Amino acid sequence: MNFLDTVPAIRRIETSRDDLLAIDVVGHVSAADGENLFGLMEAAYALHPRIDVLVRLVDHDGVDWANIAQETLKQGTADAMEHVGRCAAIGEPNWIADARHLLRASPSIEFRHFETEDEASAWQWLGARPTEKQQGRG
C-alpha cells in the first residue's frame, strides 16, 4: 500500500472557538474518511448543541459517497440539520448548492462559499481564527 493512500483526507483544524468544527478536506475522500468526518461531527454535537462548520478544500478529488453506509448518511444529515448553524466552504468545488438541496428541510443552516484567496473572510464570518499551530497551513 502506498503511504499516501493511508493519510486521512479529513484533518481537523484547531480554532479559537470551541463550538466551531473546522476541517481540511485533502485529495480524495474515501468511505473511511467520510465515516471519520461523521464521527468528528458527532463528537462536536456532544459538546455543543449548536456548532458552526468550516470546510477548507485542498486539491479536492471527490468523495466515495456510494461506499458510505446509507444509515450513516441519513443520520449525519439529520444531525447536521439539528446542530449546524453556519457552514463556510473554502475552495473548489463549490458544493453549497448540493448541500442546500440535501438539507432543504433545514432553512436554519446558513451556507457561504469563499474562494481560496478569500479564506480570511470565511474565518471572519465565523468569528474565529485558526490557532497558532495551524496558521502555517493553506
Side-chain angles (χ1 to χ4, degrees):
M1 177 179 272
N2 182 330
F3 170 77
L4 292 178
D5 291 340
T6 64
V7 176
I10 306 296
R11 303 173 192 167
R12 199 166 159 272
I13 302 168
E14 295 293 328
T15 77
S16 60
R17 279 185 53 198
D18 288 341
D19 61 346
L20 171 64
L21 175 64
I23 59 168
D24 278 332
V25 177
V26 182
H28 186 79
V29 179
S30 70
D33 292 320
E35 298 277 348
N36 179 44
L37 172 59
F38 287 116
L40 289 171
M41 293 182 80
E42 287 174 9
Y45 304 150
L47 295 172
H48 305 281
R50 295 291 288 173
I51 67 167
D52 290 334
V53 177
L54 179 138
V55 178
R56 184 167 56 189
L57 300 167
V58 181
D59 298 324
H60 184 61
D61 188 28
V63 179
D64 283 340
W65 292 115
N67 294 320
I68 298 173
Q70 287 302 306
E71 185 56 37
T72 300
L73 291 172
K74 184 186 263 185
Q75 187 62 52
T77 300
D79 288 344
M81 289 190 300
E82 181 180 343
H83 296 284
V84 176
R86 287 181 164 185
C87 180
I90 302 167
E92 296 300 327
N94 180 351
W95 48 263
I96 297 297
D98 293 335
R100 281 187 179 127
H101 177 73
L102 180 66
L103 300 169
R104 64 186 170 274
S106 179
S108 64
I109 301 176
E110 186 178 356
F111 292 97
R112 281 201 193 167
H113 177 261
F114 297 85
E115 298 298 330
T116 302
E117 59 271 12
D118 295 328
E119 179 176 337
S121 296
W123 287 101
Q124 183 178 17
W125 181 62
L126 294 171
R129 59 179 169 67
T131 59
E132 287 292 319
K133 58 185 163 187
Q134 295 290 329
Q135 288 181 355
R137 283 192 179 170

